[in-house]
Amino acid sequence: MNRRVYRRLPSTHLIDESDIYGRAADKERVVEILLSQNMGCRNQLPMDVIAVTGMGGMGKTTLARLVYEDLKMKDHFQHKAWVCVSEEFDVDCVTKAILQSLSCPTEQDFHSNQSKLEETLKGKRFFLVLDDVWNANCQIWEVFTAPLRQVAPQSKILITTRNKIVAEVMCCAFTYPLKPLQDGDCWNLFAKYAFNNQPDAVGPDLVRIGKEIIKKCGGLPLAIKTLGSLLHIKLSFQHWNKILKSELWALSEDHSNIVPSLRLSYHYLPSNLKRCFAYCSIFPKDYDIDKNVLVQLWTANGLVYPIQRSTSLEETGDEIFKDLESRSFFEPSERGGNYFIMHDLLNDLAKSVAGEFFVLLDAAQTQDMSTKTRYFSYTRCKSDNVDIFEKVLKCHQLRSFIQFGDAGIGDDIMSRLFQLKYIRQLSFRGSQNLRSLTHGISNLKHLHYLDLSYSSVKKLPNSICSLINLQTLKLRDCDRLTELPSNFYKLINLRHLDLEDCGIQKMPRHMGKLKKLQTMNMFVLAKKGGPNIKELGAFNHLTGSLTISNMEHVSDATNMREANLKEKELDKLTLWYRGVSYSLEEAQRQEHILEVVEPSQSVKKLTVEGYRGTKFPKWLSGVAHFLPNLVSLSLSSCFYCVSLPPVGQLPSLQELTIHGFSGVKVIGEEFYGNGSLIAQPSLLYLRFSNMREWEEWDVCHEGASFPCLEKLEMWCCPRLTKSLPQHLPCLKKLDISGCGNLEATLPKSSSMEMLSLSNCRKISVKYIPTWSISDVLPPLHDLSLWRCLAMESLLQGGMLSSLQRLTIGWCSKVIACGREWGLHELLSLKQLYISDDVMEWFLEEERLLPPNLQSLLFGCCDKLRRINHRGLVHLHSLTSLSFYDCPSMSFEGMPKEEALPPSLSHLTIGYGCPLLRERCEKEKGPDWPKIAHIPHLHIE
């Protein structure tokens, strides 16, 4: 579980506008504002800040999502980022979140991250959404925006906030107050959740009462949605009329700080759902809640009671969660998967009903804790507050201690917490100061849940094995922990064991005695002293993900068969071989053992890495009754296989990665399978990499293979010479790198958006499909040519009509015929990046570049000395000009005035440009007068 502030809105997340009512006009207006010219800087930034304001539950975040995903925004801005800020505006965390959204690695040092962000966004048109801002501290805002002072003009920040003062502190150029929904939109939203959009299917009495009820919701979308979900549970006149006339409507919202409709929704929950919902008060606002973890926490606290013996605790907890979600108490997180969030108002409701028994403290707070506190959670801000832990230790009846985010809890505090003998849940997740557990942990006889993930723990004491009530143990990413205690098998009630990315080198014996295990994502074998693979057979209820490490230590096929993977409802299986030795006998043994593995039909993702056999088992053949649900297959470092498995008939396969098959020379018929169906019918992504002996791709079933393929990558296949699939109608991205001998016509696709050719020295223009005016031209917007020595010119035939980004690196023949590029006709081109070690003079003629070009970058141009300024003056949209590693470059010979386009706002002179740096020295260099007018100069 990670705090929402640490991550970005994924670019693949699309909001379903059919679920949104009454916000179309708001969306269009906000988009119009964001795409307009800057209104004038009330701040020191080259970007306007726009605020959407309104009370909680009004739909500010929903509106921001609609705007964020609008196609016009995507086309207008070069970079976008979304960060949920919430109550604490942590500048460090928000800065990291933006960097992550730009696919930039982050550092521990705050100043390094700020510098990196400034460099990344310099000269770029940037759109940032800061959702749910509360902090009105102008000094925090000034520190945060420091790296944004060199973005391109027309960049924008959109904030959502309940507090109008925040908008003033941020010097917003425009504040958009979001109003309640109109009556018609309120009814449509209510009808969707209460009647499944079929109000005519119920009696007129319910329709009449429903319209009276929504009048009480004040036009708040959240209130309408939640109440509609509640009423949908029981479509009876008596029930609806009881809710309409409930006294809870009369309670003042100001008095309780809870919207009456939400309080009603809680009031009518069944008692078991009430308990589980109240427990959620331990989570900070805007927190991504992992549904599976939440169910484990509920279970550990005894909040889940199976109704039937045949139903497990996890299944019962899952049903409770689904019930709460169906009532709109949870909504899916943008993070996807099993992650959900609670709206702030529902979080407030949970805290209100939880009372003094539940406490969520922030390290910056000093409020007193009641000794009656049973459930405690802790959010670290800047530093630890020792007083907080002193207060915790006085809560002798404490049942739960959970920390969120990185915390500084060390061995001393941890050992003192072990004195709280009624503890059922302990989470030290992210405690890098925690290196060992004391034997005092054995005092916690009631402990059900222990999370040490992302800590520095090196060893678990044997005394931990006396915790016979322990249900969940999480050791994820404890990379210093190399072994488990020898008596680990005594934890007979253990249900969940998380060892992902843990440093465990072997597991103890008798693991098979842990018969209640539901999830265990890692099973590590050893040559001696570890468990036998057949012990997996005892885990009859194992689900989820499983990695079997050191598969080479499985010595007997009978033992492998007794592991009984076929009967386990796994959705992800990884078979990991680590050994490097090879013999014919070893190869045959591994082949025989892999043949009897036979995973469950439920497996969706399968990885086999380091396998030393020469052939693959029958269960990987794509026959209908094998692996019908497999979506992703990765086969890696199988050095001795002489052919690929016949995976062509796997009906659901969408992603296929083949890496490190040194023994494969030809890919042919066997790859497609021998069935009569279309080969690879569902495949979307195909990657070949490090295929050093691969010589030929025998394209069988041309026209009947890869009908849905969208992305094809081929990396480091130096011997591949000919034949590529030609009929790939859905292909959007083609990336070929390190295929130096390839001489084959590239696929022709009307869907092509990105083409990248790197270190392909024999591919020339004749191998690139041509397009006539009568053809449906591909929407190619990104073209990269890198060290393609035979490429003599750019692509012709209209294929570049939609091009937005062009990279040409060390393609000397292409560079030499610049006048024949036809770039001036590419009106969509916005970015041009050039690298070359021969070119001395750029733009020998005028008007070779397209007039709409915005960014021009030269990198590693060893001999470049001059740029013809006459070839730039017509570029009225050019805002960014950059040089990196151009040691001979200078602006010598350019006129002192109008040497560069007046639109230029950013000039970067990066590393490796000593002459340019010297001549552009402020106030002193001879070229300084030519650049002094540029607002944003960055000279390294």
Side-chain angles (χ1 to χ4, degrees):
M1 299 183 293
N2 295 317
R3 288 192 66 186
R4 195 175 178 210
V5 73
Y6 294 121
R7 51 148 187 86
R8 64 188 172 93
L9 184 74
S11 59
T12 56
H13 173 76
L14 297 174
I15 190 169
D16 186 357
E17 294 198 33
S18 65
D19 285 342
I20 311 302
Y21 295 85
R23 295 307 185 200
D26 295 309
K27 170 196 166 186
E28 292 304 318
R29 177 57 180 145
V30 174
V31 168
E32 178 187 352
I33 295 169
L34 291 168
L35 297 181
S36 65
Q37 296 292 320
N38 281 354
M39 301 177 192
C41 295
R42 292 184 59 201
N43 50 50
Q44 300 300 315
L45 301 173
M47 56 197 309
D48 278 347
V49 182
I50 313 299
V52 175
T53 61
M55 67 177 294
M58 191 65 75
K60 301 182 295 298
T61 298
T62 298
L63 175 60
R65 288 179 188 164
L66 288 170
V67 171
Y68 188 88
E69 294 294 348
D70 190 274
L71 292 178
K72 294 190 287 292
M73 304 295 289
K74 179 180 178 182
D75 294 337
H76 185 75
F77 294 100
Q78 295 167 272
H79 292 303
K80 296 194 305 177
W82 174 294
V83 181
C84 181
V85 180
S86 198
E87 295 184 16
E88 178 202 358
F89 198 124
D90 189 316
V91 178
D92 188 20
C93 292
V94 175
T95 302
K96 286 180 179 177
I98 298 173
L99 283 171
Q100 290 166 1
S101 75
L102 302 174
S103 300
C104 295
T106 60
E107 308 290 342
Q108 290 296 323
D109 181 64
F110 167 66
H111 299 290
S112 298
N113 287 327
Q114 280 214 316
S115 297
K116 186 177 295 185
L117 182 61
E118 180 182 41
E119 182 62 32
T120 302
L121 295 178
K122 186 181 303 179
K124 300 294 193 301
R125 191 175 291 174
F126 178 52
F127 175 49
L128 172 64
V129 174
L130 296 175
D131 184 38
D132 197 19
V133 181
W134 290 73
N135 194 293
N137 187 320
C138 60
Q139 293 179 334
I140 290 177
W141 179 246
E142 289 176 3
V143 172
F144 165 69
T145 56
L148 306 179
R149 300 184 189 279
Q150 298 193 51
V151 297
Q154 308 312 316
S155 296
K156 297 288 195 300
I157 297 177
L158 177 67
I159 70 167
T160 68
T161 181
R162 298 187 204 179
N163 190 347
K164 293 182 180 180
I165 297 177
V166 171
E168 286 298 319
V169 168
M170 293 185 174
C171 300
C172 290
F174 192 93
T175 299
Y176 190 87
L178 194 58
K179 297 179 180 179
L181 293 181
Q182 298 294 318
D183 291 346
D185 295 316
C186 289
W187 173 249
N188 291 333
L189 179 61
F190 179 81
K192 174 182 174 61
Y193 284 90
F195 306 126
N196 282 335
N197 281 330
Q198 296 178 336
D200 296 337
V202 299
D205 288 340
L206 286 187
V207 171
R208 176 180 57 79
I209 296 177
K211 290 185 176 181
E212 290 186 44
I213 288 175
I214 62 174
K215 288 179 181 178
K216 296 175 176 288
C217 293
L220 290 183
L222 176 67
I224 295 169
K225 183 172 67 172
T226 307
L227 203 53
S229 300
L230 164 68
L231 294 168
H232 176 72
I233 302 297
K234 192 174 182 180
L235 297 173
S236 76
F237 174 83
Q238 292 78 8
H239 179 63
W240 283 40
N241 195 49
K242 183 178 180 181
I243 289 178
L244 173 63
K245 298 184 182 302
S246 172
E247 294 179 356
L248 292 174
W249 288 108
L251 292 179
S252 169
E253 182 182 333
D254 294 333
H255 175 71
S256 65
N257 199 33
I258 302 298
V259 178
S261 58
L262 300 184
R263 187 167 49 243
L264 269 166
S265 297
Y266 170 79
H267 180 75
Y268 285 96
L269 285 177
S271 58
N272 60 335
L273 268 65
K274 282 184 176 179
R275 292 192 302 268
C276 291
F277 173 71
Y279 179 86
C280 295
S281 65
I282 69 167
F283 293 106
K285 290 182 177 179
D286 298 310
Y287 190 86
D288 278 331
I289 302 172
D290 185 328
K291 180 193 74 172
N292 295 330
V293 172
L294 178 56
V295 170
Q296 291 167 12
L297 291 170
W298 283 341
T299 302
N301 272 290
L303 301 178
V304 175
Y305 305 101
I307 299 175
Q308 301 175 349
R309 284 190 175 184
S310 59
T311 304
S312 70
L313 291 170
E314 288 75 16
E315 289 170 335
T316 304
D318 193 60
E319 287 301 315
I320 291 174
F321 185 90
K322 288 178 180 177
D323 204 341
L324 286 169
E325 184 193 2
S326 71
R327 298 166 187 260
S328 300
F329 282 84
F330 294 102
E331 59 185 53
S333 163
E334 295 92 351
R335 187 171 179 177
N338 287 318
Y339 288 93
F340 294 80
I341 60 171
M342 295 172 61
H343 191 280
D344 283 0
L345 295 185
L346 288 165
N347 188 284
D348 290 338
L349 174 62
K351 288 178 172 59
S352 173
V353 300
E356 63 182 345
F357 292 102
F358 291 79
V359 173
L360 167 63
L361 278 187
D362 188 284
Q365 294 175 320
T366 58
Q367 70 181 70
D368 290 331
M369 283 178 56
S370 168
T371 56
K372 296 179 181 179
T373 299
R374 297 291 186 271
Y375 304 94
F376 172 83
S377 58
Y378 166 67
T379 303
R380 180 182 184 236
C381 289
K382 294 299 182 183
S383 61
D384 295 311
N385 188 334
V386 177
D387 292 339
I388 285 179
F389 299 107
E390 294 298 333
K391 295 170 185 174
V392 171
L393 292 169
K394 294 178 182 178
C395 302
H396 300 296
Q397 302 296 317
L398 196 68
R399 301 290 193 272
S400 177
F401 178 95
I402 296 178
Q403 65 180 35
F404 297 100
D406 297 333
I409 293 177
D411 298 350
D412 179 58
I413 293 175
M414 175 271 303
S415 62
R416 296 181 66 189
L417 286 171
F418 288 170
Q419 299 171 18
L420 301 172
K421 60 182 180 180
Y422 296 107
I423 282 280
R424 297 174 68 103
Q425 296 173 321
L426 273 178
S427 172
F428 301 126
R429 188 182 182 90
S431 294
Q432 290 296 311
N433 295 333
L434 185 60
R435 295 176 175 81
S436 64
L437 297 183
T438 66
H439 290 284
I441 195 171
S442 61
N443 296 327
L444 308 182
K445 301 299 183 183
H446 301 283
L447 191 64
H448 284 62
Y449 181 98
L450 177 60
D451 190 351
L452 302 172
S453 300
Y454 305 98
S455 69
S456 300
V457 167
K458 296 181 179 180
K459 188 176 182 180
L460 300 180
N462 274 319
S463 58
I464 198 175
C465 302
S466 66
L467 304 177
I468 60 172
N469 289 309
L470 194 64
Q471 297 176 348
T472 300
L473 177 60
K474 295 180 177 292
L475 301 169
R476 179 176 295 235
D477 207 34
C478 293
D479 51 2
R480 301 183 185 186
L481 184 65
T482 58
E483 62 181 359
L484 299 174
S486 58
N487 291 332
F488 198 77
Y489 65 89
K490 292 184 177 181
L491 297 173
I492 56 174
N493 286 304
L494 197 64
R495 306 174 73 87
H496 306 283
L497 177 59
D498 186 353
L499 297 174
E500 187 164 332
D501 295 325
C502 191
I504 298 295
Q505 297 177 6
K506 73 173 183 178
M507 301 182 82
R509 294 179 183 272
H510 312 304
M511 288 291 293
K513 293 186 177 182
L514 305 179
K515 298 182 184 299
K516 293 186 179 181
L517 272 178
Q518 305 269 329
T519 57
M520 178 181 63
N521 46 28
M522 177 72 78
F523 193 76
V524 185
L525 299 168
K527 193 170 185 178
K528 294 181 180 180
N532 193 304
I533 188 67
K534 68 180 181 181
E535 294 190 47
L536 279 175
F539 306 139
N540 295 324
H541 308 291
L542 206 60
T543 61
S545 171
L546 174 63
T547 294
I548 305 178
S549 182
N550 300 338
M551 275 287 294
E552 70 278 5
H553 294 322
V554 180
S555 58
D556 187 271
T558 302
N559 291 338
M560 187 71 247
R561 187 178 287 108
E562 291 183 20
N564 201 18
L565 295 180
K566 186 176 182 180
E567 301 300 323
K568 293 173 175 42
E569 294 296 314
L570 299 171
D571 53 43
K572 180 180 177 182
L573 177 63
T574 298
L575 304 175
W576 193 358
Y577 298 78
R578 292 177 179 264
V580 295
S581 61
Y582 173 79
S583 66
L584 181 59
E585 180 182 2
E586 171 70 10
Q588 292 174 343
R589 184 176 65 81
Q590 289 197 16
E591 290 169 10
H592 189 39
I593 289 171
L594 189 59
E595 186 68 53
V596 301
V597 167
E598 196 172 337
S600 165
Q601 292 190 1
S602 63
V603 169
K604 296 180 180 179
K605 184 172 184 178
L606 175 66
T607 299
V608 180
E609 182 172 346
Y611 172 58
R612 293 298 187 265
T614 59
K615 60 182 180 181
F616 284 91
K618 294 179 182 178
W619 53 261
L620 202 51
S621 65
V623 178
H625 62 278
F626 290 133
L627 304 176
N629 299 302
L630 191 67
V631 173
S632 175
L633 175 61
S634 176
L635 304 174
S636 179
S637 302
C638 304
F639 301 115
Y640 303 107
C641 290
V642 295
S643 64
L644 299 182
V647 297
Q649 302 305 321
L650 289 169
S652 304
L653 191 65
Q654 296 181 15
E655 299 179 359
L656 176 59
T657 299
I658 307 292
H659 171 82
F661 277 64
S662 302
V664 171
K665 292 188 175 182
V666 178
I667 294 179
E669 180 75 31
E670 79 291 340
F671 178 58
Y672 299 88
N674 299 316
S676 58
L677 300 175
I678 295 175
Q680 280 89 19
S682 304
L683 199 66
L684 301 176
Y685 171 72
L686 175 59
R687 176 179 178 180
F688 295 102
S689 61
N690 200 30
M691 306 281 286
R692 296 191 173 276
E693 301 298 324
W694 183 23
E695 297 177 357
E696 182 180 351
W697 190 347
D698 186 0
V699 185
C700 311
H701 308 285
E702 183 66 66
S705 302
F706 312 111
C708 299
L709 191 67
E710 295 182 354
K711 186 173 183 179
L712 174 61
E713 293 180 352
M714 302 170 62
W715 293 359
C716 197
C717 306
R719 293 177 178 264
L720 183 64
T721 58
K722 56 184 177 181
S723 296
L724 294 177
Q726 297 299 298
H727 187 72
L728 301 176
C730 297
L731 190 66
K732 295 181 179 180
K733 297 182 179 181
L734 178 61
D735 186 352
I736 304 178
S737 177
C739 300
N741 286 303
L742 183 63
E743 294 184 84
T745 302
L746 303 183
K748 184 176 182 178
S749 170
S750 296
S751 303
M752 187 78 74
E753 297 176 356
M754 189 275 283
L755 174 60
S756 177
L757 302 174
S758 176
N759 291 292
C760 298
R761 64 176 183 270
K762 292 188 177 181
I763 291 184
S764 62
V765 170
K766 70 179 181 179
Y767 296 117
I768 298 178
T770 57
W771 303 78
S772 64
I773 300 299
S774 60
D775 289 329
V776 177
L777 297 176
L780 186 70
H781 56 69
D782 196 329
L783 173 62
S784 178
L785 303 175
W786 201 262
R787 296 189 185 277
C788 297
L789 303 183
M791 193 72 67
E792 60 272 15
S793 65
L794 288 181
L795 287 59
Q796 303 297 321
M799 192 174 180
L800 304 183
S801 59
S802 301
L803 197 66
Q804 297 180 22
R805 290 177 293 276
L806 173 60
T807 299
I808 305 175
W810 289 287
C811 299
S812 300
K813 294 181 180 180
V814 177
I815 298 292
C817 65
R819 65 177 63 87
E820 300 172 9
W821 290 1
L823 288 183
H824 62 284
E825 299 176 357
L826 305 182
L827 302 183
S828 297
L829 191 66
K830 301 293 191 297
Q831 301 175 41
L832 177 60
Y833 176 20
I834 296 176
S835 289
D836 186 68
D837 55 2
V838 175
M839 174 180 62
E840 298 183 13
W841 176 272
F842 184 70
L843 294 173
E844 296 181 6
E845 299 181 16
E846 300 178 19
R847 296 189 178 273
L848 290 181
L849 298 181
N852 296 325
L853 193 68
Q854 297 176 358
S855 176
L856 179 59
L857 188 151
F858 297 89
C860 299
C861 296
D862 296 345
K863 298 183 179 179
L864 179 64
R865 294 184 295 107
R866 292 181 60 186
I867 292 179
N868 184 356
H869 71 281
R870 293 189 179 90
L872 300 180
V873 291
H874 71 290
L875 302 179
H876 301 300
S877 298
L878 190 69
T879 59
S880 176
L881 177 62
S882 304
F883 298 89
Y884 290 92
D885 206 3
C886 300
S888 304
M889 175 62 196
S890 75
F891 293 135
E892 186 177 3
M894 284 187 177
K896 290 187 177 181
E897 296 182 0
E898 298 184 355
L900 296 170
S903 60
L904 197 65
S905 58
H906 291 76
L907 173 65
T908 299
I909 301 173
Y911 58 83
C913 302
L915 183 59
L916 194 57
R917 185 175 67 246
E918 179 184 347
R919 292 183 59 86
C920 291
E921 185 178 359
K922 186 175 182 179
E923 307 292 352
K924 298 180 180 180
D927 289 339
W928 171 252
K930 304 169 186 177
I931 66 169
H933 65 285
I934 300 175
H936 304 290
L937 297 173
H938 184 73
I939 303 177
E940 294 186 2

